[in-house]
């Protein structure tokens, strides 16, 4: 007998296996999924936005969500209005309202790798100044309102962390992890103009964005179930293209699963495929984990003592800051190569941006000075411990979960309730969600989160059960009607 | 008689003619000038830095200066030290010292187009939050601690200013003017992949940086003495390359001279050279003046009613903000074209950066809401009036000066004293310096500046005169000695 549920399947939470490779339409079946609705702020744009949404969207930029909590905003919530007599009162109301929202949103955040636990109170008065470290941090600028002293202090700290001498490195404080990747890959391309970019398909989307921007040929290397690069596939590809140099993006913690590509393995593959050191360039994307891994015992070392070209990391992630920021460090000699054609550029600025946020270095300087290596190590240890706790809690609640051994990113089944995802600000990709355990994610918060998750799942399951019953009831009524019709109006045994 | 001064010329301040085209070694003789020393922070780097300094450096990134006030810093002034018992006290001392420097540097700043007169007091408590507008501003993100409401309000304000309907445009708040140029030119290239980039040689250096990053063919169009594009040369070049599309950077205020390229003239040239609208893309770099020109009477309108592709502007310049920021606005249909290949990118993020500073939109929103169109207009008028005043003051003091009619950038002879340049933070390029009259440059400040400039010039002239006398005296002594030698020791009439 065909029931209504056969055409309207209610999927149970555990139905989808974990871990699955993500981000590839061929492997996670995203192409077949219904597309999520986008929240629009402008009615005229809705059509084109929906057309554009015909694509899989990664969580680290803007994940369209669907559900009862998303109310379409037809205009900007806070338009810029012309001044009138209520101006100051209106501004104050908006700011107060907004601040209340920020407090609530900051409290319930779980999904993004941002350490929201910071206190830059002593720096608040610096907001009065337009601090701009325009250009190269190592070259003095005529614009005096800068913070190069702090920037260079922070860069030296990272140089020491990643084991490169002060005279050997060049770097700067970026606006975000993406800028670090854009810079590292550009340095690679400028030094190996004919190089092919290799990156695993679970790399941050900015890596392939760079390849497109820079008109580079690129190869998406397959991944293992853990999210790590598939080294056999990598070997196959670099061997096949051995006549051209290789520019390799190595993930020190992938975006979604926190997987760490094995640098030593990659170097071995390159060597076996006949690449000498002048024919490859390695950029390490350490957005989150580049700053944690030096403090993890038994972790493979990412260091400039190995033949790598650059490392980038975010500052607002593990360190925590009000503004997005990051660090990129490369070898001085690569920048020299980059600067040869200065006449064409009419510039000696090897950064991507010209004007650069001068507050960011001070935030980083402040936290690093307060915590030191010892404090950072403690933070890393606590995060890894709490990540392990979360994974155990999830498993005990019957929720499939995964945690890479070197990571604090706990991956689990995507909750059914879009409202729950939104409330807890989980980053999702296809069938999976993750929580990144940062220093602000305490045991108490994990406790609160688990209680809410279990309740949300119970509610979804109850609704699904109720829906099944409702449909079965309708089907029964329909069958009865059919039977009555066939039996010429006589009551049957099903009623 | 050969004097010592013939081999050691003392150039007088007015010796160098103005205006001169800048940034081109062939026309301003920069190639022959002695290279300025760079200030170094690291002794090991000095050699390579000096080698790199074999190029002309534009003032908008990092201008090496030379002179008694530049003391080489051998290490970072504020290294990150490991915590000890003095930690908090040390941090406090550093911050207090630094704040005092900032106050002084902010007070004496004249050269960069930054409005340092702002008061974001009511927003100070927002520094507690990690506000990040990651990705497309029009697509909701799961990360809840954002300020898209403010961002979209600000974008709508700019869309209205530049006359494009809400349903027709796309844009975002950038990190700086450079990001706006990088974005506009990328949109142009993605829509016209075979296009050649045309930009005048006085364009901001980020324009040619973009061409290099994006592997685009580019043409440096010559400039007129005012700094404006040489339209004849432009016509010649677009005619010569007519089989390939044109991507044109139009300067709405050049970096050094504040010259405005004539958009209508450029459009006419393109039309005459046979380019239909689908075969060119115009990006308007309005870093400073893009926000001023709409309020200037008689100024040529830069508007989306004309067939332009994008406009970018800085937020920390005319509006003023603690952090660098900017706005880029383009046509929605160009972004749709950009997003077609999303599967390759695995992303729907059409911004250059992924994570984006969420405080910047609130600063801009706050100032625009407080000032409104009327307030902005008043600021513009005051700046133009004060710029005119400064030019007149300079000329009355016998200092050659130039002011483009639509600009508040006053160009004049570069002062001889490097210490003076540094103290007043003048932006210089080759033989010229400029002051950009921003809303914080009051009449009183101009008065103070002129007094100091005149005094500095007098001192330089006095030193030069003294040097002449000293050398003449030496020469005379030498001549006497010669004569005595020839006359066999007899005294001559010169003594």
């Amino acid at each position: 007998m065909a029931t209504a549920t056969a055409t309207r399947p209610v999927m149970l939470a555990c139905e989808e296996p974990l871990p699955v490779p993500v981000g590839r339409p061929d492997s996670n079946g995203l192409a077949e999924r219904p597309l999520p609705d986008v929240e629009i702020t402008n009615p005229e744009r809705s059509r084109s936005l929906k057309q554009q949404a015909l694509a899989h969207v990664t969580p680290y930029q803007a994940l369209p969500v669907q559900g009862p909590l998303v109310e379409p905003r037809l205009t900007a919530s806070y338009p810029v209005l012309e001044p009138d007599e209520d101006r100051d009162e209106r501004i104050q109301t908006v700011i107060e309202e907004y601040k209340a929202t920020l407090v609530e949103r900051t409290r319930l955040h779980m999904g993004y790798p941002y350490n929201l636990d910071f206190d830059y109170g002593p720096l608040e008065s610096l907001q009065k100044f337009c601090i701009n470290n325009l250009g190269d941090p190592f070259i003095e600028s005529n614009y005096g309102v800068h913070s190069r002293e702090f920037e260079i202090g922070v860069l030296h700290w990272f140089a020491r962390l990643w084991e490169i001498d002060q005279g050997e490195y060049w770097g700067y404080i970026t606006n975000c992890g993406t800028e670090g990747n854009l810079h590292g890959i550009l340095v690679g391309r400028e030094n190996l103009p004919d190089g092919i970019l290799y990156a695993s398909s679970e790399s941050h989307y900015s890596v392939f964005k760079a390849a497109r921007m820079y008109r580079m040929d690129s190869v998406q290397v397959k991944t293992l179930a853990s999210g790590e690069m598939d080294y056999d596939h990598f070997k196959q590809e670099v061997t096949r293209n051995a006549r051209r140099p290789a520019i390799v993006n190595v993930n020190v913690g992938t975006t979604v699963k926190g997987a760490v590509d094995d640098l030593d393995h990659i170097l071995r593959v390159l060597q076996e495929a006949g690449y000498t050191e002048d024919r490859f360039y390695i950029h390490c994307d350490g957005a989150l984990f580049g700053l944690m891994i030096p403090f993890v015992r038994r972790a493979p070392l990412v260091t400039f003592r190995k033949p790598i070209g650059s490392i980038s990391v975010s500052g607002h992630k593990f360190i925590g800051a009000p503004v997005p920021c990051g660090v990129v460090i490369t070898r001085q000699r690569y920048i020299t190569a980059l600067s040869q054609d200065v006449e064409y550029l009419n510039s000696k600025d090897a950064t991507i941006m010209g004007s650069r946020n001068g507050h960011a270095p001070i935030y980083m300087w402040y936290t690093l000075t307060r915590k030191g290596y010892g404090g950072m190590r403690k933070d890393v240890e606590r995060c890894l411990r709490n990540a392990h706790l979360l994974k155990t809690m999830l498993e005990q609640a019957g929720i499939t979960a995964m945690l890479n051994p070197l990571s604090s990113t706990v991956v689990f089944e995507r909750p059914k309730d879009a409202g729950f995802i939104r409330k807890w600000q989980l980053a999702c990709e296809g069938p999976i969600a993750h929580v990144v355990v940062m220093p602000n994610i305490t045991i108490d918060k994990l406790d609160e989160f688990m209680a809410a998750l279990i309740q949300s799942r119970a509610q979804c399951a109850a609704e699904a059960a109720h829906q099944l019953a409702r449909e079965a009831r309708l089907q029964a009524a329909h069958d009865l009607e059919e039977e009555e019709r066939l039996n010429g109006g006589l009551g049957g045994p099903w009623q």
Side-chain angles (χ1 to χ4, degrees), chain A residues 348-398:
Chain A
K348 252 242 12 79
D349 181 10
T351 72
I352 300 250
M353 293 298 146
S355 286
R356 297 187 300 107
N357 186 334
H359 294 270
I362 310 176
Y363 293 131
M364 293 175 77
W365 179 89
Y366 182 80
T367 296
L368 294 176
T369 301
R370 279 187 59 82
K371 293 191 176 172
Y373 284 91
M376 296 298 288
R377 181 188 302 275
K378 261 187 214 155
D379 276 357
V380 170
E381 280 168 3
R382 199 172 60 244
C383 288
L384 294 182
R385 207 165 46 231
N386 284 347
H388 195 77
L389 171 66
L390 175 60
K391 179 179 172 254
T392 313
M393 285 164 122
L394 285 163
E395 285 172 344
Q396 283 196 348

Side-chain angles (χ1 to χ4, degrees), chain A residues 166-478:
Chain A
Q166 286 187 17
E168 297 294 319
Y169 87 86
W170 182 90
Y172 71 102
I173 292 192
T174 61
N175 282 296
C176 55
T178 289
E179 189 178 350
N181 287 343
L182 291 182
H183 194 271
I185 293 166
L186 183 62
V187 172
R189 191 203 70 177
E190 292 296 280
N191 281 276
L192 300 170
D194 193 34
I196 297 175
L197 176 69
Y198 299 86
S200 90
S201 55
E202 297 198 35
S203 302
H204 188 256
Y205 72 96
S206 60
V207 172
F208 291 104
K209 178 154 89 174
R212 180 179 167 137
M213 277 170 68
Y214 301 153
R215 290 188 157 162
M216 297 167 74
D217 290 328
S218 65
V219 172
Q220 276 206 19
V221 181
K222 291 179 188 166
T223 47
L224 306 172
S226 64
E228 222 173 315
M229 181 183 274
D230 177 336
Y231 307 101
D232 291 339
H233 185 226
F234 176 60
K235 184 166 191 176
Q236 205 175 308
E237 291 294 322
V238 287
T239 307
R240 200 161 61 88
N241 300 308
R243 66 191 171 79
R244 286 175 63 187
I247 296 163
V248 188
N249 176 73
V250 172
N251 294 309
V252 188
T254 59
T255 314
V256 176
K257 294 184 197 156
V260 177
D261 292 339
D262 185 338
L263 175 58
D264 295 326
H265 200 150
I266 287 167
L267 287 169
R268 213 157 48 233
V269 166
L270 286 168
Q271 197 185 13
E272 285 165 8
Y275 287 77
T276 46
E277 285 187 18
D278 58 333
R279 293 192 64 252
F280 68 81
Y281 179 97
I282 289 179
H283 171 69
C284 301
D285 175 7
L288 165 65
F289 212 58
L291 193 43
M292 297 173 70
I293 207 167
F295 301 110
V296 179
R297 257 167 298 196
R298 290 165 296 114
L301 267 184
V302 177
T303 159
F304 278 96
R305 296 206 182 159
K306 298 175 185 172
I308 62 171
S310 46
I311 310 182
S312 64
V313 74
S314 293
H316 60 296
K317 290 186 177 149
F318 199 72
I319 294 177
V323 297
C325 55
V327 166
V328 65
I329 299 265
T330 181
R331 295 180 195 275
Q332 171 63 37
R333 68 170 193 271
Y334 289 132
I335 293 298
T336 309
L338 196 75
S339 305
Q340 272 170 354
D341 199 9
V342 282
E343 200 160 310
Y344 175 73
L345 281 183
N346 193 18
S347 138
K348 252 242 12 79
D349 181 10
T351 72
I352 300 250
M353 293 298 146
S355 286
R356 297 187 300 107
N357 186 334
H359 294 270
I362 310 176
Y363 293 131
M364 293 175 77
W365 179 89
Y366 182 80
T367 296
L368 294 176
T369 301
R370 279 187 59 82
K371 293 191 176 172
Y373 284 91
M376 296 298 288
R377 181 188 302 275
K378 261 187 214 155
D379 276 357
V380 170
E381 280 168 3
R382 199 172 60 244
C383 288
L384 294 182
R385 207 165 46 231
N386 284 347
H388 195 77
L389 171 66
L390 175 60
K391 179 179 172 254
T392 313
M393 285 164 122
L394 285 163
E395 285 172 344
Q396 283 196 348
I399 301 167
T400 320
M402 182 186 85
L403 173 61
N404 269 308
L406 300 175
S407 169
S408 70
T409 301
V410 182
V411 178
F412 56 99
E413 312 157 21
R414 179 181 187 141
K416 297 281 171 223
D417 181 5
F420 179 86
I421 290 174
R422 194 177 165 77
K423 180 177 172 189
W424 289 90
Q425 301 165 53
L426 301 181
C428 302
E429 187 162 271
I432 70 177
H434 76 203
V435 160
V436 185
V437 180
M438 288 280 97
N440 64 316
I441 307 287
T442 57
I443 296 174
D444 285 352
K445 191 163 277 182
L446 290 177
D447 205 7
E448 186 187 352
F449 171 73
M450 282 306 299
L453 177 61
I454 289 166
Q455 197 187 353
S456 160
R457 285 166 61 89
Q459 199 174 329
C460 285
E463 275 163 21
H466 180 62
Q467 174 71 5
L468 273 176
R470 206 172 66 88
E471 285 169 355
R473 213 174 281 132
L474 281 173
Q475 184 68 35
H478 175 263

Side-chain angles (χ1 to χ4, degrees), chain A residues 33-103:
Chain A
R33 275 165 199 288
L35 289 163
D37 255 4
V38 290
E39 174 174 4
I40 53 154
T41 53
N42 184 323
E44 289 92 336
R45 293 186 77 243
S46 77
R47 256 182 317 261
S48 76
L49 275 177
K50 276 193 184 152
Q51 281 162 3
Q52 288 170 47
L54 288 167
H56 172 51
V57 178
T58 59
Y60 279 83
Q61 36 134 356
L63 183 71
V65 283
Q66 195 177 26
L69 290 192
V70 182
E71 42 175 313
R73 289 172 295 154
L74 295 182
T75 54
S77 296
Y78 299 137
V80 174
L81 301 176
E82 279 295 282
D84 55 20
E85 56 190 11
D86 303 329
R87 183 193 64 179
D88 293 346
E89 200 183 321
R90 193 173 68 231
I91 290 178
Q92 204 190 332
T93 311
V94 165
I95 300 297
E96 288 309 317
E97 258 180 41
Y98 179 59
K99 218 182 291 176
T101 318
L102 288 180
V103 169

Side-chain angles (χ1 to χ4, degrees), chain A residues 80-152:
Chain A
V80 174
L81 301 176
E82 279 295 282
D84 55 20
E85 56 190 11
D86 303 329
R87 183 193 64 179
D88 293 346
E89 200 183 321
R90 193 173 68 231
I91 290 178
Q92 204 190 332
T93 311
V94 165
I95 300 297
E96 288 309 317
E97 258 180 41
Y98 179 59
K99 218 182 291 176
T101 318
L102 288 180
V103 169
E104 185 63 9
R105 284 179 181 164
T106 297
R107 194 179 74 79
L108 290 176
H109 170 266
M110 298 289 277
Y112 291 78
Y114 307 150
N115 178 7
L116 304 186
D117 179 22
F118 53 76
D119 176 7
Y120 291 111
L123 306 181
E124 253 176 26
S125 56
L126 299 182
Q127 288 306 306
K128 288 188 189 67
F129 304 99
C130 175
I131 311 178
N132 190 338
N133 291 1
L134 59 177
D136 188 318
F138 294 98
I139 300 179
E140 190 61 28
S141 163
N142 268 14
Y143 181 63
V145 190
H146 64 71
S147 64
R148 282 175 166 72
E149 305 91 326
F150 294 93
E151 182 171 16
I152 293 169

